[in-house]
Amino acid sequence: MPGRPWRARLAALGAGTAILIAACGGAASPSPTQAPTQAPTQAPSATPFEAMSYPTAGEVDCAAGTYNGKPYTGMIKSIKALDAKTVEFTLCGSDPAFLSKVAFSPFAINDTAYLEKAAADGSIVRNPNGTGPYKLKEWVQGDHITLEANPTYWGTAPLVPEVVFKWSTEAAQRLVELQSGNADGIDNPGPTDFATIANDPNLKLYPREGLNVFYVGMNNTYPPFDNEKVRQAVAMGIDRQRIVDNFMPPGSTVASHFTPCAIPNGCVGPEWYSFDVAAAKKLLAEAGFPDGFQTTIHLRDVVRGYLAQPVIVAQDIQAQLKTNLNIEAKIDVQESGTFIDNADAGKLDGIHLLGWGADYPDVTNFLDYHFGAGSSAQFGKKYPDIVAALQEGAKGANDDVRKPAYEQANTLIKQHVPMVPISHAGSATAFKADVEGAHSSPLTSEVFSVMKPGDRSQLVWIQNGEPAGIYCADETDGEALRVCEQITEALYGFEVGGTKAIPVLATACTPNTDLAVWTCTLRDNVTFADGATLDANDVVLSYAVQWDAAHPLHKGRDGSFTYFPSLWGGFLNPPAQ
Amino acid sequence: MTATVGKVPDALADPLAAQKPSSLWRDTLWNILRQRSAVVGLTFLVFLVAVAVFAPVIATYNPNEPMIGVQAGAKVRMPPCIHLLGCPANLPQHLMGLDGNGRDVFSRVVYGARVSLQIGILTVGFAIILGALIGAIAGYFAGKTDNVLMRLMDVVLAFPSLLLAIAIVTVLGQGLINAQLAIGIVAIPVYARVMRASVLSIREQEFVAASRALGESRGGILVRRVVPNALTPLIVQGTLGIAAAIIDVAALSFLGLGAQPPLAEWGSMIGIERNAVFAAPHLIIFPGLAIVVTCLAFNLLGDGVRDALDPRLNR
C-alpha cells in the first residue's frame, strides 16, 4: 500500500503522547483514530500497521439513539480494525442479515489511499479501482464500457479476457443484436420474445426467479389517499391476477405480500386483499367518494425486471380503476431519474407504479427500505407501528425469533395499504447457445468471469441502460451495480446465479452469541488493480465514508448514498431533512 | 350614371361576353381535377374525412375498452382474425387484431384518423395565421420591422424543427395540445417567409399603387388588397404542411411527448408497441399504414393544388 505520511505523523504524535502519559504514571488510552495495534497476523513489514476505527470522535449511544448528542437511528455502533487482517463490526443489536448486507455491492471495499484521492477529486465515479476479476479498460460515455481481465486477481482468472457492456432501452433492439451476433448476451428480453428465443437453436433463455415486487404506491399526504379507506378500496379494486396473466412474463406470480415468499419471513402474516369490486365501492362510499374521483398514475417508461411493460400495465390499471371504481386516472410518464427523485421526495400526488428487485435475500431489503425508519417519503408520512415492528424484526437473532415481528409488519402493511403489491415478476437473460457458464441471477448480479463465449475473446453484454456512475456506494440502479460487481468486491458476495452469501474478501465473518458483534478475517494476498494491498483499514474507511455524512470523503456522484441508511438504519451526522 | 342600352342583335353579340366569368377557385378546382395524382389524393382524403366523421359508426368496438375478460378467447396482441378468411369461429373477430392492452386495433386506427386530421388541420391553421400575419407585416412595412421579424424567424428556422418541438414540449409539458402547439410554433417561420415573399411582390403592383393614390390607409391596403392576393402560395404550402404536421406530432407521440394513453393516436400506438415489432407486427403495420396513407393523400393533393395555382404550369 502506498505511504501515508499524515498517518505516520499522527502515529508519531500518538506514540509520543503515550510515552509521555506512561512516563507520568497513567495508562495510555488509545487514540480513536488509532486503536491499539495488535500482533499482526502476517509477516511484519517495514511500516507497522496502524489500525483505524470509526467513529474517530465521540461514541454512538445505542440506547439513547444518539451520536455526540445528535439523533442517530443507525444500527452500527463502531467499526474497528483489530489488526491488518481483522475487522470488527459492533452493532446496536442483533443482525442476522449482516452477511447478506455486507455481501451487497455498494459495500465493496476500496483502497484507503485511492479513496482519499479519488473520492476527494470525484474521479471515483468513473475510474474504479477494485479487487475483482476485471478492471476498467475504457468507458466511452453513451456507447460502451469495456472491462479487461485483472492480471493480479486473487481468485480464478476470468474465462474471457474482455467484457463489453452496451445498452439499449428497447427490448426489440437487444434481441436483434443478439440474433445478429453483435451481442453474446442480453438482459430482460421482452415478454413477447421469450418464445422466439426459446425456439431459436442458436440462443438460450435463462429464466430469472421473480425475487422482486411490482407495486402501486400511494402517498398518504395527498388527498384522497390520506384516507385509509380509499387506499384499501384501491387495493381491492384492482384485479391483480388479470395483470399477471396478461402483461407479465412467464414465471410471474400474484403478490400475496410485499416481499417474495422465497425470502425467509417474506410472506408471513395475512395474505393480501382479494379482488372484490363490491367491497371496494363500499369502502369508497364510506370514505366519501361514492362517485369516484380524479387522480394521476405516475410512472417511468423504463423496463425493469419487475415491470417489463410499464405503459401498457399503466393503461390497464387506468382502465380497471375507471371500470371498477369510477376513478378517472390520467397517465403521467416521467423521465426515469426525475420520477425516482419525485417518488423519494414524496412529490407524486396520485398513485405511482414502481418496484423493487432484491439486492440481498433478507426481508429487511424489502420492508426496511420501503417502510422502515430510514425509508424515503414515497408513501408520505411513515407509519410508526410498521416502523416499530420492523425495528423489532431486525433485532431478532434468527428467522424464527423474527417471525412474529414480520407477521405484525405485514398485517399492518395490509391494514394501512401504503401500496398495493401486484406481482413478483419473472424475467430472464438470453445468451448465445455457445456461451458456457451463462446464467441469470435472481439478484440481477450476473457474473461474467465464469462465462466463456465459444472461442471469442470478448463477451458483449447488452443491458437496459448506461450506468450513471460506477462508484456503487452512491448508486442504486441495477445497471450500475452489475458493472461494479465485475470490478469491485465486498467482504462477502453471492454465489453465482444464487442468493447464498459466500466469503469473498473475507475468509469468514463470525458473530458473537447475540449476533451484535461480527468479526471478519480478511483474505491474504489480495491486491487492488493499482497494486495496493487489501488490509483492515481499507474496510474501515470504505464503510466510514458512507456511514458518516459529515466525512470529508462522503462524496460520490450525487452524494446521496441511498443504500447505506436504508440498510444500516441511518447516517452518522445525518444531513438536515 | 344611368344608361339605357338597346338590345344587341344575337349575331353581333361579343362571344366573350357569353362565357361565364372566370373564377380563381373554380379554375383551381378544375385544374386539380385534371391531375390524376391530385384526384387520388383528394379521394383518399375524402375517404379519411368520412372515416373520421363516422368513426363511431365504422369502429366495431370502443377504442379504449380492453377486450380481455370481456370477450371469450380475446388475448393481448391477438393477430387479425377475420372469420371469412378462415379464422376459427370460436375466436372473436377483430379485423386488425388486438393490441397489448387487448383493445381492438381497427377501432383505434379508425378513431386515430379523427385525431390525426384534427392535429394536421389545427396545427397548420395556427401556424398559417401567425406566419401570415408576421410575413405580411414584415413584407409590407419593410425596413426595421421586416428586419426584426425575419431575423426572429431565422433564429427559429436555425434549429432542427423536431428537436425544437421536443424542447418546447419539454418546457410546456407532455400532451397532445402542447405537441400541436410546439409543431405549430416551429412551422410559423415557413409560412412567414412564404407570405413575406408574396407581399414583397404584390406591394409593387399597380393596383396597390392605385389604392395608395386614392388615399387608402396602409392597413387597409394590406388587409384588403395585398393579403388576399398573397394567399395562393400559402394555401399550397399549408396543404403540404398538414402531412408534415401529422408526421411530426406522430413522432412526438411515438416518443411519449404527444398524445397520452389511452388516446388512440397512430404515433403513440406504434410507440407503445415498438418492442412487439417481431412478435406482433400487426400492431406496428396498421397504424403505420394509416400515417403513410394520410400523409400521401395530403402530399398528392398539395402537389396538385400547387400545380393548379401556378400560372406557369397552366395548360
Side-chain angles (χ1 to χ4, degrees):
Chain A
M1 195 174 297
R4 297 162 184 150
W6 63 273
R7 202 169 299 126
R9 284 197 291 274
L10 272 177
L13 182 65
T17 311
I19 291 166
L20 191 62
I21 293 171
C24 296
S29 59
S31 153
T33 51
Q34 296 152 23
T37 305
Q38 300 190 357
T41 55
Q42 63 179 28
S45 58
T47 311
F49 179 75
E50 301 140 14
M52 292 172 65
S53 70
Y54 217 83
T56 54
E59 277 197 357
V60 167
D61 184 341
C62 292
T66 58
Y67 166 66
N68 275 352
K70 293 179 194 165
Y72 174 64
T73 57
M75 295 169 64
I76 300 179
K77 183 173 165 59
S78 67
I79 306 174
K80 286 178 187 166
L82 302 182
D83 59 49
K85 293 293 172 192
T86 315
V87 188
E88 181 186 84
F89 292 80
T90 306
L91 310 179
C92 288
S94 303
D95 189 358
F98 180 84
L99 292 181
S100 293
K101 289 181 185 175
V102 298
F104 189 27
S105 47
F107 306 120
I109 307 305
N110 282 295
D111 172 50
T112 302
Y114 163 77
L115 259 182
E116 286 165 349
K117 181 185 173 298
D121 66 17
S123 60
I124 195 168
V125 175
R126 293 182 56 86
N127 295 298
N129 171 43
T131 58
Y134 290 100
K135 60 181 186 174
L136 181 70
K137 183 178 180 187
E138 64 170 357
W139 181 352
V140 179
Q141 201 145 12
D143 193 67
H144 69 273
I145 292 173
T146 304
L147 310 184
E148 62 183 351
N150 177 1
T152 61
Y153 183 51
W154 59 269
T156 308
L159 297 179
V160 58
E162 275 195 356
V163 175
V164 179
F165 283 82
K166 293 185 174 180
W167 39 84
S168 167
T169 53
E170 306 302 328
Q173 191 190 345
R174 292 197 295 274
L175 178 59
V176 169
E177 297 277 10
L178 183 66
Q179 287 171 323
S180 64
N182 290 333
D184 297 291
I186 60 170
D187 195 19
N188 286 335
T192 53
D193 298 325
F194 275 38
T196 308
I197 296 167
N199 295 329
D200 187 335
N202 298 317
L203 307 179
K204 196 164 179 193
L205 187 76
Y206 294 85
R208 191 188 268 147
E209 190 185 346
L211 218 55
N212 56 41
V213 62
F214 160 55
Y215 59 82
V216 172
M218 289 168 278
N219 188 315
N220 65 10
T221 57
Y222 295 102
F225 300 106
D226 53 350
N227 188 321
E228 195 159 281
K229 285 184 176 174
V230 170
R231 300 197 300 272
Q232 289 172 345
V234 172
M236 293 178 196
I238 296 177
D239 184 353
R240 300 175 304 142
Q241 187 70 53
R242 160 173 154 159
I243 294 173
V244 170
D245 289 348
N246 291 289
F247 310 113
M248 294 294 175
S252 306
T253 55
V254 173
S256 63
H257 298 76
F258 185 76
T259 314
C261 293
I263 289 176
N265 286 325
C267 51
V268 292
E271 285 201 7
W272 197 252
Y273 301 96
S274 50
F275 177 51
D276 186 342
V277 175
K281 280 183 173 170
K282 186 166 173 274
L283 279 168
L284 262 192
E286 285 171 14
F289 300 97
D291 301 321
F293 54 85
Q294 293 189 333
T295 189
T296 306
I297 298 173
H298 305 279
L299 72 149
R300 56 176 178 166
D301 188 10
V302 171
V303 174
R304 288 290 180 267
Y306 54 77
L307 184 57
Q309 308 183 81
V311 178
I312 285 175
V313 171
Q315 288 187 77
D316 192 66
I317 291 173
Q318 180 187 44
Q320 287 202 40
L321 290 175
K322 175 66 184 158
T323 307
N324 301 339
L325 304 175
N326 199 32
I327 295 174
E328 292 267 4
K330 193 177 72 180
I331 289 178
D332 170 34
V333 182
Q334 301 186 358
E335 189 276 323
S336 179
T338 308
F339 173 74
I340 294 294
D341 290 347
N342 286 340
D344 286 344
K347 290 180 181 171
L348 301 179
D349 57 358
I351 63 180
H352 61 274
L353 309 189
L354 199 47
W356 185 254
D359 301 310
Y360 61 91
D362 190 85
V363 69
T364 52
N365 183 229
F366 280 80
L367 295 187
D368 289 43
Y369 185 90
H370 291 88
F371 313 111
S375 59
S376 77
Q378 71 162 305
F379 305 123
K381 286 181 287 190
K382 292 184 179 63
Y383 298 90
D385 46 1
I386 300 178
V387 171
L390 294 179
Q391 283 172 336
E392 189 61 30
K395 289 178 193 163
N398 60 52
D399 288 339
D400 290 337
V401 174
R402 301 166 84 193
K403 188 177 176 186
Y406 288 120
E407 278 176 348
Q408 173 71 358
N410 281 336
T411 305
L412 293 167
I413 288 169
K414 182 181 175 186
Q415 178 198 321
H416 295 313
V417 194
M419 52 76 233
V420 182
I422 302 289
S423 59
H424 304 303
S427 60
T429 60
F431 286 86
K432 280 184 186 165
D434 69 350
V435 178
E436 294 169 27
H439 59 271
S440 65
S441 159
L443 303 174
T444 65
S445 306
E446 285 75 27
V447 178
F448 297 115
S449 61
V450 302
M451 298 184 192
K452 189 170 184 307
D455 56 1
R456 301 179 292 282
S457 61
Q458 201 178 54
L459 185 141
V460 179
W461 165 259
I462 305 186
Q463 54 185 26
N464 301 310
E466 180 176 15
I470 44 178
Y471 175 36
C472 281
D474 196 23
E475 300 295 337
T476 56
D477 194 349
E479 310 300 316
L481 300 188
R482 190 184 285 108
V483 179
C484 292
E485 282 151 7
Q486 320 302 321
I487 302 171
T488 56
E489 293 173 315
L491 294 174
Y492 269 57
F494 294 105
E495 62 181 356
V496 174
T499 59
K500 187 182 171 193
I502 54 170
V504 177
L505 291 184
T507 53
C509 287
T510 50
N512 66 351
T513 49
D514 67 354
L515 310 183
V517 179
W518 290 81
T519 307
C520 299
T521 307
L522 301 186
R523 197 175 290 280
D524 288 327
N525 304 320
V526 175
T527 56
F528 291 89
D530 68 355
T533 306
L534 172 75
D535 67 23
N537 283 349
D538 298 330
V539 179
V540 175
L541 190 63
S542 295
Y543 274 83
V545 297
Q546 293 196 54
W547 182 20
D548 185 355
H551 196 288
L553 299 178
H554 187 75
K555 293 175 183 172
R557 187 173 57 82
D558 66 3
S560 59
F561 294 89
T562 309
Y563 273 123
F564 197 93
S566 303
L567 271 63
W568 299 106
F571 289 125
L572 282 180
N573 301 308
Q577 291 295 317
Chain B
M1 187 176 66
T2 308
T4 307
V5 181
K7 193 177 179 187
V8 180
D10 286 351
L12 298 175
D14 182 356
L16 289 175
Q19 283 184 357
K20 279 187 178 176
S22 171
S23 150
L24 174 68
W25 298 112
R26 197 171 55 229
D27 290 352
T28 303
L29 185 63
W30 177 243
N31 284 342
I32 288 172
L33 292 177
R34 282 195 309 173
Q35 294 173 62
R36 198 173 299 158
S37 63
V39 171
V40 171
L42 195 61
T43 309
F44 269 133
L45 205 57
V46 169
F47 171 72
L48 284 168
V49 170
V51 166
V53 171
F54 298 108
V57 181
I58 297 168
T60 41
Y61 297 95
N62 176 341
N64 297 333
E65 187 189 2
M67 294 292 121
I68 46 173
V70 174
Q71 218 173 33
K75 288 200 309 196
V76 294
R77 299 197 178 93
M78 194 177 93
C81 174
I82 303 168
H83 292 152
L84 275 176
L85 298 180
C87 178
N90 61 340
L91 290 178
Q93 177 160 280
H94 291 281
L95 301 179
M96 296 181 181
L98 297 181
D99 71 2
N101 280 91
R103 297 171 299 205
D104 183 58
V105 176
F106 173 70
S107 304
R108 290 180 69 73
V109 169
V110 166
Y111 272 89
R114 222 175 228 206
V115 178
S116 287
L117 288 178
Q118 186 186 320
I119 286 169
I121 291 164
L122 287 181
T123 307
V124 170
F126 167 79
I128 283 183
I129 290 170
L130 282 181
L133 190 68
I134 293 170
I137 292 170
Y140 188 71
F141 292 98
K144 279 184 184 171
T145 312
D146 182 24
N147 245 329
V148 170
L149 289 173
M150 294 323 289
R151 292 306 75 75
L152 194 67
M153 295 296 103
D154 288 345
V155 168
V156 178
L157 268 180
F159 291 96
S161 62
L162 197 58
L163 217 59
L164 183 58
I166 289 171
I168 293 171
V169 171
T170 308
V171 173
L172 297 178
Q174 299 162 349
L176 193 56
I177 292 177
N178 288 346
Q180 285 177 257
L181 201 59
I183 298 295
I185 290 169
V186 169
I188 288 172
V190 175
Y191 300 106
R193 286 172 79 109
V194 169
M195 188 64 171
R196 176 177 173 271
S198 292
V199 169
L200 280 176
S201 149
I202 288 165
R203 68 192 279 250
E204 304 304 329
Q205 300 278 321
E206 285 170 0
F207 70 92
V208 176
S211 292
R212 210 176 291 134
L214 287 171
E216 192 164 1
S217 68
R218 294 176 81 186
I221 294 171
L222 179 63
V223 173
R224 279 192 288 276
R225 311 286 168 217
V226 177
V227 170
N229 286 289
L231 282 178
T232 305
L234 215 56
I235 292 166
V236 174
Q237 188 65 41
T239 316
L240 293 166
I242 290 175
I246 290 173
I247 289 179
D248 285 350
V249 175
L252 288 181
S253 298
F254 176 88
L255 296 172
L257 300 171
Q260 295 300 301
L263 185 68
E265 197 275 335
W266 297 332
S268 125
M269 287 168 70
I270 295 172
I272 287 170
E273 296 292 353
R274 63 190 183 275
N275 277 316
V277 62
F278 302 119
H282 62 282
L283 301 180
I284 310 295
I285 290 171
F286 290 121
L289 271 178
I291 294 175
V292 169
V293 168
T294 308
C295 293
L296 186 67
F298 275 109
N299 281 339
L300 289 175
L301 183 66
D303 284 346
V305 172
R306 184 194 57 205
D307 292 351
L309 290 173
D310 189 343
R312 287 168 299 180
L313 298 175
N314 249 349
R315 282 166 285 181

